[in-house]
PDB file of all heavy atoms in Angstrom:
ATOM      1  N   ALA A 287      27.212  16.765  54.576  1.00 96.00           N
ATOM      2  CA  ALA A 287      25.727  16.674  54.137  1.00 96.00           C
ATOM      3  C   ALA A 287      25.285  18.171  53.641  1.00 96.00           C
ATOM      4  O   ALA A 287      24.656  18.185  52.668  1.00 96.00           O
ATOM      5  CB  ALA A 287      24.870  16.142  55.123  1.00 96.00           C
ATOM      6  N   VAL A 288      25.553  19.170  54.468  1.00 97.00           N
ATOM      7  CA  VAL A 288      25.095  20.451  54.119  1.00 97.00           C
ATOM      8  C   VAL A 288      25.919  20.906  52.823  1.00 97.00           C
ATOM      9  O   VAL A 288      25.224  21.687  52.092  1.00 97.00           O
ATOM     10  CB  VAL A 288      25.409  21.563  55.327  1.00 97.00           C
ATOM     11  CG1 VAL A 288      25.152  22.906  54.894  1.00 97.00           C
ATOM     12  CG2 VAL A 288      24.439  21.189  56.440  1.00 97.00           C
ATOM     13  N   SER A 289      27.064  20.528  52.639  1.00 97.00           N
ATOM     14  CA  SER A 289      27.827  20.993  51.542  1.00 97.00           C
ATOM     15  C   SER A 289      27.152  20.253  50.295  1.00 97.00           C
ATOM     16  O   SER A 289      27.009  20.877  49.208  1.00 97.00           O
ATOM     17  CB  SER A 289      29.352  20.576  51.676  1.00 97.00           C
ATOM     18  OG  SER A 289      29.958  21.347  52.488  1.00 97.00           O
ATOM     19  N   ALA A 290      26.872  18.926  50.348  1.00 97.00           N
ATOM     20  CA  ALA A 290      26.203  18.227  49.300  1.00 97.00           C
ATOM     21  C   ALA A 290      24.889  18.875  49.017  1.00 97.00           C
ATOM     22  O   ALA A 290      24.532  18.981  47.797  1.00 97.00           O
ATOM     23  CB  ALA A 290      26.153  16.714  49.643  1.00 97.00           C
ATOM     24  N   PHE A 291      24.093  19.208  49.978  1.00 97.00           N
ATOM     25  CA  PHE A 291      22.825  19.730  49.857  1.00 97.00           C
ATOM     26  C   PHE A 291      22.921  21.048  49.126  1.00 97.00           C
ATOM     27  O   PHE A 291      22.144  21.420  48.225  1.00 97.00           O
ATOM     28  CB  PHE A 291      22.014  19.853  51.208  1.00 97.00           C
ATOM     29  CG  PHE A 291      20.792  20.636  51.131  1.00 97.00           C
ATOM     30  CD1 PHE A 291      19.690  20.136  50.551  1.00 97.00           C
ATOM     31  CD2 PHE A 291      20.715  22.036  51.648  1.00 97.00           C
ATOM     32  CE1 PHE A 291      18.541  20.830  50.466  1.00 97.00           C
ATOM     33  CE2 PHE A 291      19.538  22.659  51.613  1.00 97.00           C
ATOM     34  CZ  PHE A 291      18.376  22.115  51.092  1.00 97.00           C
ATOM     35  N   GLY A 292      23.946  21.839  49.468  1.00 97.00           N
ATOM     36  CA  GLY A 292      24.193  23.203  48.906  1.00 97.00           C
ATOM     37  C   GLY A 292      24.524  22.939  47.461  1.00 97.00           C
ATOM     38  O   GLY A 292      24.122  23.775  46.647  1.00 97.00           O
ATOM     39  N   LEU A 293      25.275  21.946  47.040  1.00 97.00           N
ATOM     40  CA  LEU A 293      25.388  21.599  45.628  1.00 97.00           C
ATOM     41  C   LEU A 293      24.185  21.497  44.820  1.00 97.00           C
ATOM     42  O   LEU A 293      23.998  21.902  43.715  1.00 97.00           O
ATOM     43  CB  LEU A 293      26.440  20.478  45.448  1.00 97.00           C
ATOM     44  CG  LEU A 293      27.951  20.726  45.478  1.00 97.00           C
ATOM     45  CD1 LEU A 293      28.711  19.375  45.534  1.00 97.00           C
ATOM     46  CD2 LEU A 293      28.330  21.468  44.243  1.00 97.00           C
ATOM     47  N   VAL A 294      23.345  20.598  45.446  1.00 97.00           N
ATOM     48  CA  VAL A 294      22.023  20.401  44.831  1.00 97.00           C
ATOM     49  C   VAL A 294      21.210  21.634  44.598  1.00 97.00           C
ATOM     50  O   VAL A 294      20.688  21.868  43.442  1.00 97.00           O
ATOM     51  CB  VAL A 294      21.134  19.349  45.649  1.00 97.00           C
ATOM     52  CG1 VAL A 294      19.677  19.251  45.117  1.00 97.00           C
ATOM     53  CG2 VAL A 294      21.884  18.035  45.776  1.00 97.00           C
ATOM     54  N   ILE A 295      21.149  22.504  45.627  1.00 97.00           N
ATOM     55  CA  ILE A 295      20.391  23.737  45.345  1.00 97.00           C
ATOM     56  C   ILE A 295      21.081  24.742  44.477  1.00 97.00           C
ATOM     57  O   ILE A 295      20.526  25.469  43.678  1.00 97.00           O
ATOM     58  CB  ILE A 295      20.221  24.417  46.858  1.00 97.00           C
ATOM     59  CG1 ILE A 295      19.441  23.486  47.846  1.00 97.00           C
ATOM     60  CG2 ILE A 295      19.504  25.714  46.741  1.00 97.00           C
ATOM     61  CD1 ILE A 295      17.999  23.109  47.313  1.00 97.00           C
ATOM     62  N   VAL A 296      22.371  24.876  44.496  1.00 97.00           N
ATOM     63  CA  VAL A 296      23.118  25.688  43.662  1.00 97.00           C
ATOM     64  C   VAL A 296      22.891  25.213  42.195  1.00 97.00           C
ATOM     65  O   VAL A 296      22.632  26.143  41.279  1.00 97.00           O
ATOM     66  CB  VAL A 296      24.610  25.654  44.035  1.00 97.00           C
ATOM     67  CG1 VAL A 296      25.460  26.234  42.797  1.00 97.00           C
ATOM     68  CG2 VAL A 296      24.844  26.377  45.193  1.00 97.00           C
ATOM     69  N   ILE A 297      23.038  23.924  41.864  1.00 97.00           N
ATOM     70  CA  ILE A 297      22.691  23.425  40.532  1.00 97.00           C
ATOM     71  C   ILE A 297      21.312  23.860  40.109  1.00 97.00           C
ATOM     72  O   ILE A 297      21.061  24.370  39.000  1.00 97.00           O
ATOM     73  CB  ILE A 297      22.938  21.925  40.521  1.00 97.00           C
ATOM     74  CG1 ILE A 297      24.383  21.608  40.614  1.00 97.00           C
ATOM     75  CG2 ILE A 297      22.495  21.457  39.090  1.00 97.00           C
ATOM     76  CD1 ILE A 297      24.707  20.252  40.970  1.00 97.00           C
ATOM     77  N   TRP A 298      20.325  23.664  41.048  1.00 96.00           N
ATOM     78  CA  TRP A 298      18.913  23.911  40.744  1.00 96.00           C
ATOM     79  C   TRP A 298      18.703  25.466  40.451  1.00 96.00           C
ATOM     80  O   TRP A 298      18.001  25.758  39.487  1.00 96.00           O
ATOM     81  CB  TRP A 298      18.027  23.482  41.914  1.00 96.00           C
ATOM     82  CG  TRP A 298      16.597  23.652  41.894  1.00 96.00           C
ATOM     83  CD1 TRP A 298      15.743  23.083  40.948  1.00 96.00           C
ATOM     84  CD2 TRP A 298      15.729  24.567  42.604  1.00 96.00           C
ATOM     85  NE1 TRP A 298      14.478  23.570  41.226  1.00 96.00           N
ATOM     86  CE2 TRP A 298      14.377  24.397  42.239  1.00 96.00           C
ATOM     87  CE3 TRP A 298      16.097  25.362  43.673  1.00 96.00           C
ATOM     88  CZ2 TRP A 298      13.377  25.155  42.818  1.00 96.00           C
ATOM     89  CZ3 TRP A 298      15.030  26.107  44.198  1.00 96.00           C
ATOM     90  CH2 TRP A 298      13.743  26.025  43.808  1.00 96.00           C
ATOM     91  N   LEU A 299      19.309  26.236  41.267  1.00 95.00           N
ATOM     92  CA  LEU A 299      19.218  27.709  41.014  1.00 95.00           C
ATOM     93  C   LEU A 299      19.820  28.222  39.737  1.00 95.00           C
ATOM     94  O   LEU A 299      19.300  28.925  38.946  1.00 95.00           O
ATOM     95  CB  LEU A 299      19.792  28.467  42.254  1.00 95.00           C
ATOM     96  CG  LEU A 299      19.003  28.475  43.535  1.00 95.00           C
ATOM     97  CD1 LEU A 299      19.821  29.051  44.646  1.00 95.00           C
ATOM     98  CD2 LEU A 299      17.644  29.195  43.321  1.00 95.00           C
ATOM     99  N   TRP A 300      21.154  27.724  39.344  1.00 95.00           N
ATOM    100  CA  TRP A 300      21.731  28.189  38.195  1.00 95.00           C
ATOM    101  C   TRP A 300      21.211  27.548  37.000  1.00 95.00           C
ATOM    102  O   TRP A 300      21.091  28.213  35.997  1.00 95.00           O
ATOM    103  CB  TRP A 300      23.264  27.857  38.375  1.00 95.00           C
ATOM    104  CG  TRP A 300      24.003  28.999  39.213  1.00 95.00           C
ATOM    105  CD1 TRP A 300      24.623  28.587  40.372  1.00 95.00           C
ATOM    106  CD2 TRP A 300      24.228  30.262  38.900  1.00 95.00           C
ATOM    107  NE1 TRP A 300      25.219  29.823  40.901  1.00 95.00           N
ATOM    108  CE2 TRP A 300      25.053  30.747  39.987  1.00 95.00           C
ATOM    109  CE3 TRP A 300      23.931  31.010  37.763  1.00 95.00           C
ATOM    110  CZ2 TRP A 300      25.427  32.127  40.024  1.00 95.00           C
ATOM    111  CZ3 TRP A 300      24.307  32.370  37.866  1.00 95.00           C
ATOM    112  CH2 TRP A 300      25.114  32.921  38.989  1.00 95.00           C
ATOM    113  N   ALA A 301      20.944  26.260  36.996  1.00 95.00           N
ATOM    114  CA  ALA A 301      20.545  25.641  35.732  1.00 95.00           C
ATOM    115  C   ALA A 301      19.095  25.839  35.458  1.00 95.00           C
ATOM    116  O   ALA A 301      18.762  25.750  34.170  1.00 95.00           O
ATOM    117  CB  ALA A 301      20.917  24.103  35.817  1.00 95.00           C
ATOM    118  N   PHE A 302      18.267  26.001  36.316  1.00 93.00           N
ATOM    119  CA  PHE A 302      16.788  26.055  36.114  1.00 93.00           C
ATOM    120  C   PHE A 302      16.278  27.199  36.790  1.00 93.00           C
ATOM    121  O   PHE A 302      15.509  27.041  37.846  1.00 93.00           O
ATOM    122  CB  PHE A 302      16.123  24.687  36.626  1.00 93.00           C
ATOM    123  CG  PHE A 302      16.770  23.522  36.045  1.00 93.00           C
ATOM    124  CD1 PHE A 302      17.620  22.692  36.836  1.00 93.00           C
ATOM    125  CD2 PHE A 302      16.549  23.087  34.776  1.00 93.00           C
ATOM    126  CE1 PHE A 302      18.195  21.606  36.270  1.00 93.00           C
ATOM    127  CE2 PHE A 302      17.061  21.970  34.233  1.00 93.00           C
ATOM    128  CZ  PHE A 302      17.960  21.239  35.005  1.00 93.00           C
ATOM    129  N   PRO A 303      16.522  28.418  36.323  1.00 89.00           N
ATOM    130  CA  PRO A 303      15.902  29.563  36.975  1.00 89.00           C
ATOM    131  C   PRO A 303      14.430  29.754  36.952  1.00 89.00           C
ATOM    132  O   PRO A 303      13.852  30.617  37.698  1.00 89.00           O
ATOM    133  CB  PRO A 303      16.568  30.760  36.179  1.00 89.00           C
ATOM    134  CG  PRO A 303      16.947  30.162  34.927  1.00 89.00           C
ATOM    135  CD  PRO A 303      17.242  28.730  35.113  1.00 89.00           C
ATOM    136  N   PHE A 304      13.795  29.080  36.025  1.00 88.00           N
ATOM    137  CA  PHE A 304      12.346  29.142  35.878  1.00 88.00           C
ATOM    138  C   PHE A 304      11.700  27.853  36.090  1.00 88.00           C
ATOM    139  O   PHE A 304      12.316  26.817  35.907  1.00 88.00           O
ATOM    140  CB  PHE A 304      11.983  29.726  34.471  1.00 88.00           C
ATOM    141  CG  PHE A 304      12.786  30.861  34.067  1.00 88.00           C
ATOM    142  CD1 PHE A 304      13.865  30.821  33.259  1.00 88.00           C
ATOM    143  CD2 PHE A 304      12.333  32.163  34.671  1.00 88.00           C
ATOM    144  CE1 PHE A 304      14.545  32.027  32.920  1.00 88.00           C
ATOM    145  CE2 PHE A 304      12.988  33.298  34.369  1.00 88.00           C
ATOM    146  CZ  PHE A 304      14.195  33.236  33.468  1.00 88.00           C
ATOM    147  N   PRO A 305      10.435  27.855  36.751  1.00 87.00           N
ATOM    148  CA  PRO A 305       9.842  26.606  37.090  1.00 87.00           C
ATOM    149  C   PRO A 305       9.766  25.536  35.982  1.00 87.00           C
ATOM    150  O   PRO A 305       9.343  25.759  34.805  1.00 87.00           O
ATOM    151  CB  PRO A 305       8.366  27.017  37.460  1.00 87.00           C
ATOM    152  CG  PRO A 305       8.615  28.471  37.872  1.00 87.00           C
ATOM    153  CD  PRO A 305       9.671  28.975  36.909  1.00 87.00           C
ATOM    154  N   ARG A 306      10.300  24.248  36.382  1.00 90.00           N
ATOM    155  CA  ARG A 306      10.123  23.110  35.458  1.00 90.00           C
ATOM    156  C   ARG A 306       9.886  21.981  36.346  1.00 90.00           C
ATOM    157  O   ARG A 306      10.634  21.720  37.313  1.00 90.00           O
ATOM    158  CB  ARG A 306      11.419  23.050  34.575  1.00 90.00           C
ATOM    159  CG  ARG A 306      11.685  24.068  33.577  1.00 90.00           C
ATOM    160  CD  ARG A 306      12.913  23.925  32.800  1.00 90.00           C
ATOM    161  NE  ARG A 306      13.002  22.673  32.101  1.00 90.00           N
ATOM    162  CZ  ARG A 306      14.038  22.415  31.394  1.00 90.00           C
ATOM    163  NH1 ARG A 306      15.162  23.167  31.244  1.00 90.00           N
ATOM    164  NH2 ARG A 306      14.088  21.272  30.866  1.00 90.00           N
ATOM    165  N   ARG A 307       9.035  21.224  36.016  1.00 92.00           N
ATOM    166  CA  ARG A 307       8.441  20.067  36.908  1.00 92.00           C
ATOM    167  C   ARG A 307       9.512  18.987  37.056  1.00 92.00           C
ATOM    168  O   ARG A 307       9.822  18.658  38.185  1.00 92.00           O
ATOM    169  CB  ARG A 307       7.230  19.426  36.290  1.00 92.00           C
ATOM    170  CG  ARG A 307       6.642  18.371  37.075  1.00 92.00           C
ATOM    171  CD  ARG A 307       5.372  17.790  36.673  1.00 92.00           C
ATOM    172  NE  ARG A 307       4.800  16.743  37.504  1.00 92.00           N
ATOM    173  CZ  ARG A 307       4.147  16.873  38.598  1.00 92.00           C
ATOM    174  NH1 ARG A 307       3.930  18.169  39.115  1.00 92.00           N
ATOM    175  NH2 ARG A 307       3.702  15.946  39.408  1.00 92.00           N
ATOM    176  N   LEU A 308      10.169  18.448  36.019  1.00 94.00           N
ATOM    177  CA  LEU A 308      11.084  17.376  36.203  1.00 94.00           C
ATOM    178  C   LEU A 308      12.379  17.723  36.967  1.00 94.00           C
ATOM    179  O   LEU A 308      12.681  17.051  37.926  1.00 94.00           O
ATOM    180  CB  LEU A 308      11.466  16.846  34.880  1.00 94.00           C
ATOM    181  CG  LEU A 308      12.367  15.612  34.812  1.00 94.00           C
ATOM    182  CD1 LEU A 308      11.728  14.543  35.579  1.00 94.00           C
ATOM    183  CD2 LEU A 308      12.802  15.143  33.475  1.00 94.00           C
ATOM    184  N   PRO A 309      12.967  18.843  36.743  1.00 93.00           N
ATOM    185  CA  PRO A 309      14.109  19.326  37.613  1.00 93.00           C
ATOM    186  C   PRO A 309      13.746  19.618  38.999  1.00 93.00           C
ATOM    187  O   PRO A 309      14.464  19.278  39.860  1.00 93.00           O
ATOM    188  CB  PRO A 309      14.504  20.606  36.861  1.00 93.00           C
ATOM    189  CG  PRO A 309      14.135  20.578  35.430  1.00 93.00           C
ATOM    190  CD  PRO A 309      12.902  19.789  35.537  1.00 93.00           C
ATOM    191  N   ASP A 310      12.539  20.098  39.139  1.00 95.00           N
ATOM    192  CA  ASP A 310      12.150  20.427  40.574  1.00 95.00           C
ATOM    193  C   ASP A 310      11.894  19.154  41.334  1.00 95.00           C
ATOM    194  O   ASP A 310      12.283  19.007  42.525  1.00 95.00           O
ATOM    195  CB  ASP A 310      10.769  21.228  40.523  1.00 95.00           C
ATOM    196  CG  ASP A 310      10.970  22.584  39.927  1.00 95.00           C
ATOM    197  OD1 ASP A 310      12.184  23.029  39.718  1.00 95.00           O
ATOM    198  OD2 ASP A 310       9.936  23.295  39.772  1.00 95.00           O
ATOM    199  N   VAL A 311      11.290  18.167  40.763  1.00 96.00           N
ATOM    200  CA  VAL A 311      11.053  16.810  41.365  1.00 96.00           C
ATOM    201  C   VAL A 311      12.423  16.188  41.639  1.00 96.00           C
ATOM    202  O   VAL A 311      12.668  15.609  42.725  1.00 96.00           O
ATOM    203  CB  VAL A 311      10.236  15.888  40.659  1.00 96.00           C
ATOM    204  CG1 VAL A 311      10.132  14.505  41.214  1.00 96.00           C
ATOM    205  CG2 VAL A 311       8.720  16.510  40.513  1.00 96.00           C
ATOM    206  N   ALA A 312      13.383  16.199  40.658  1.00 96.00           N
ATOM    207  CA  ALA A 312      14.627  15.650  40.861  1.00 96.00           C
ATOM    208  C   ALA A 312      15.380  16.297  42.121  1.00 96.00           C
ATOM    209  O   ALA A 312      16.141  15.638  42.837  1.00 96.00           O
ATOM    210  CB  ALA A 312      15.447  15.683  39.524  1.00 96.00           C
ATOM    211  N   THR A 313      15.297  17.604  42.163  1.00 96.00           N
ATOM    212  CA  THR A 313      15.952  18.283  43.263  1.00 96.00           C
ATOM    213  C   THR A 313      15.459  17.803  44.592  1.00 96.00           C
ATOM    214  O   THR A 313      16.185  17.627  45.571  1.00 96.00           O
ATOM    215  CB  THR A 313      15.751  19.853  43.088  1.00 96.00           C
ATOM    216  OG1 THR A 313      16.373  20.235  41.828  1.00 96.00           O
ATOM    217  CG2 THR A 313      16.474  20.554  44.194  1.00 96.00           C
ATOM    218  N   VAL A 314      14.112  17.663  44.691  1.00 96.00           N
ATOM    219  CA  VAL A 314      13.559  17.303  45.900  1.00 96.00           C
ATOM    220  C   VAL A 314      14.028  15.807  46.340  1.00 96.00           C
ATOM    221  O   VAL A 314      14.411  15.483  47.455  1.00 96.00           O
ATOM    222  CB  VAL A 314      12.059  17.202  45.883  1.00 96.00           C
ATOM    223  CG1 VAL A 314      11.299  16.523  47.142  1.00 96.00           C
ATOM    224  CG2 VAL A 314      11.433  18.640  45.777  1.00 96.00           C
ATOM    225  N   LEU A 315      14.130  14.908  45.316  1.00 97.00           N
ATOM    226  CA  LEU A 315      14.499  13.539  45.496  1.00 97.00           C
ATOM    227  C   LEU A 315      15.992  13.510  45.834  1.00 97.00           C
ATOM    228  O   LEU A 315      16.484  12.799  46.781  1.00 97.00           O
ATOM    229  CB  LEU A 315      14.219  12.778  44.162  1.00 97.00           C
ATOM    230  CG  LEU A 315      12.828  12.476  43.825  1.00 97.00           C
ATOM    231  CD1 LEU A 315      12.753  11.655  42.542  1.00 97.00           C
ATOM    232  CD2 LEU A 315      12.116  11.745  44.985  1.00 97.00           C
ATOM    233  N   LEU A 316      16.784  14.379  45.311  1.00 96.00           N
ATOM    234  CA  LEU A 316      18.297  14.345  45.605  1.00 96.00           C
ATOM    235  C   LEU A 316      18.418  14.957  47.058  1.00 96.00           C
ATOM    236  O   LEU A 316      19.335  14.416  47.762  1.00 96.00           O
ATOM    237  CB  LEU A 316      19.003  15.231  44.658  1.00 96.00           C
ATOM    238  CG  LEU A 316      19.307  14.638  43.325  1.00 96.00           C
ATOM    239  CD1 LEU A 316      19.947  15.657  42.328  1.00 96.00           C
ATOM    240  CD2 LEU A 316      20.327  13.455  43.411  1.00 96.00           C
ATOM    241  N   SER A 317      17.621  15.883  47.431  1.00 96.00           N
ATOM    242  CA  SER A 317      17.731  16.435  48.831  1.00 96.00           C
ATOM    243  C   SER A 317      17.357  15.305  49.829  1.00 96.00           C
ATOM    244  O   SER A 317      17.983  15.222  50.864  1.00 96.00           O
ATOM    245  CB  SER A 317      16.805  17.680  48.993  1.00 96.00           C
ATOM    246  OG  SER A 317      17.095  18.612  48.136  1.00 96.00           O
ATOM    247  N   MET A 318      16.340  14.559  49.554  1.00 96.00           N
ATOM    248  CA  MET A 318      15.970  13.460  50.435  1.00 96.00           C
ATOM    249  C   MET A 318      17.039  12.430  50.500  1.00 96.00           C
ATOM    250  O   MET A 318      17.268  11.795  51.540  1.00 96.00           O
ATOM    251  CB  MET A 318      14.623  12.900  49.913  1.00 96.00           C
ATOM    252  CG  MET A 318      13.449  13.709  50.036  1.00 96.00           C
ATOM    253  SD  MET A 318      11.963  13.129  49.259  1.00 96.00           S
ATOM    254  CE  MET A 318      11.703  11.639  50.246  1.00 96.00           C
ATOM    255  N   LEU A 319      17.764  12.211  49.307  1.00 96.00           N
ATOM    256  CA  LEU A 319      18.872  11.294  49.260  1.00 96.00           C
ATOM    257  C   LEU A 319      20.018  11.729  50.165  1.00 96.00           C
ATOM    258  O   LEU A 319      20.629  10.938  50.846  1.00 96.00           O
ATOM    259  CB  LEU A 319      19.402  11.096  47.824  1.00 96.00           C
ATOM    260  CG  LEU A 319      20.551  10.141  47.597  1.00 96.00           C
ATOM    261  CD1 LEU A 319      20.230   8.743  48.115  1.00 96.00           C
ATOM    262  CD2 LEU A 319      21.007  10.172  46.200  1.00 96.00           C
ATOM    263  N   VAL A 320      20.367  12.991  50.159  1.00 97.00           N
ATOM    264  CA  VAL A 320      21.372  13.524  51.026  1.00 97.00           C
ATOM    265  C   VAL A 320      20.995  13.310  52.417  1.00 97.00           C
ATOM    266  O   VAL A 320      21.863  12.899  53.375  1.00 97.00           O
ATOM    267  CB  VAL A 320      21.471  15.033  50.753  1.00 97.00           C
ATOM    268  CG1 VAL A 320      22.435  15.744  51.799  1.00 97.00           C
ATOM    269  CG2 VAL A 320      22.043  15.278  49.394  1.00 97.00           C
ATOM    270  N   ILE A 321      19.697  13.532  52.875  1.00 95.00           N
ATOM    271  CA  ILE A 321      19.331  13.269  54.250  1.00 95.00           C
ATOM    272  C   ILE A 321      19.434  11.830  54.591  1.00 95.00           C
ATOM    273  O   ILE A 321      19.862  11.484  55.766  1.00 95.00           O
ATOM    274  CB  ILE A 321      17.805  13.681  54.420  1.00 95.00           C
ATOM    275  CG1 ILE A 321      17.675  15.302  54.209  1.00 95.00           C
ATOM    276  CG2 ILE A 321      17.284  13.377  55.774  1.00 95.00           C
ATOM    277  CD1 ILE A 321      16.285  15.840  54.239  1.00 95.00           C
ATOM    278  N   THR A 322      19.066  10.990  53.703  1.00 95.00           N
ATOM    279  CA  THR A 322      19.213   9.553  54.014  1.00 95.00           C
ATOM    280  C   THR A 322      20.705   9.140  54.177  1.00 95.00           C
ATOM    281  O   THR A 322      20.974   8.314  55.023  1.00 95.00           O
ATOM    282  CB  THR A 322      18.599   8.616  52.817  1.00 95.00           C
ATOM    283  OG1 THR A 322      17.268   8.977  52.586  1.00 95.00           O
ATOM    284  CG2 THR A 322      18.676   7.108  53.004  1.00 95.00           C
ATOM    285  N   ILE A 323      21.500   9.557  53.271  1.00 94.00           N
ATOM    286  CA  ILE A 323      22.963   9.214  53.394  1.00 94.00           C
ATOM    287  C   ILE A 323      23.567   9.779  54.699  1.00 94.00           C
ATOM    288  O   ILE A 323      24.389   9.279  55.347  1.00 94.00           O
ATOM    289  CB  ILE A 323      23.677   9.739  52.106  1.00 94.00           C
ATOM    290  CG1 ILE A 323      23.299   9.155  50.950  1.00 94.00           C
ATOM    291  CG2 ILE A 323      25.214   9.553  52.341  1.00 94.00           C
ATOM    292  CD1 ILE A 323      23.931   9.732  49.549  1.00 94.00           C
ATOM    293  N   LEU A 324      23.065  11.038  55.063  1.00 93.00           N
ATOM    294  CA  LEU A 324      23.552  11.661  56.341  1.00 93.00           C
ATOM    295  C   LEU A 324      23.143  10.646  57.569  1.00 93.00           C
ATOM    296  O   LEU A 324      24.149  10.461  58.450  1.00 93.00           O
ATOM    297  CB  LEU A 324      22.839  12.977  56.532  1.00 93.00           C
ATOM    298  CG  LEU A 324      23.013  13.581  57.902  1.00 93.00           C
ATOM    299  CD1 LEU A 324      24.326  13.976  58.244  1.00 93.00           C
ATOM    300  CD2 LEU A 324      22.126  14.883  57.953  1.00 93.00           C
ATOM    301  N   ALA A 325      21.864  10.218  57.502  1.00 90.00           N
ATOM    302  CA  ALA A 325      21.485   9.363  58.671  1.00 90.00           C
ATOM    303  C   ALA A 325      22.357   8.042  58.716  1.00 90.00           C
ATOM    304  O   ALA A 325      22.840   7.620  59.707  1.00 90.00           O
ATOM    305  CB  ALA A 325      20.132   8.976  58.532  1.00 90.00           C
ATOM    306  N   LEU A 326      22.664   7.441  57.597  1.00 90.00           N
ATOM    307  CA  LEU A 326      23.464   6.157  57.523  1.00 90.00           C
ATOM    308  C   LEU A 326      24.858   6.552  57.900  1.00 90.00           C
ATOM    309  O   LEU A 326      25.465   5.711  58.592  1.00 90.00           O
ATOM    310  CB  LEU A 326      23.368   5.627  56.047  1.00 90.00           C
ATOM    311  CG  LEU A 326      22.102   5.138  55.604  1.00 90.00           C
ATOM    312  CD1 LEU A 326      22.065   4.800  54.163  1.00 90.00           C
ATOM    313  CD2 LEU A 326      21.608   3.972  56.426  1.00 90.00           C
TER     314      LEU A 326
END
């Protein structure tokens, strides 16, 4: 789960270095998805 979360953050940092609403929201949602999959 930490590796998958790391991928989400790495993509966010490299692809979107400047604030953008849609990628930022997508990153939060993907992080929540990782946590959900972790619990399951």
Side-chain angles (χ1 to χ4, degrees):
V288 170
S289 292
F291 174 71
L293 271 173
V294 172
I295 300 300
V296 163
I297 293 167
W298 181 64
L299 285 173
W300 279 113
F302 307 104
F304 307 104
R306 291 178 60 180
R307 182 176 178 81
L308 183 58
D310 293 353
V311 172
T313 299
V314 172
L315 293 176
L316 281 172
S317 300
M318 293 173 62
L319 178 61
V320 171
I321 295 172
T322 302
I323 298 174
L324 169 62
L326 294 173

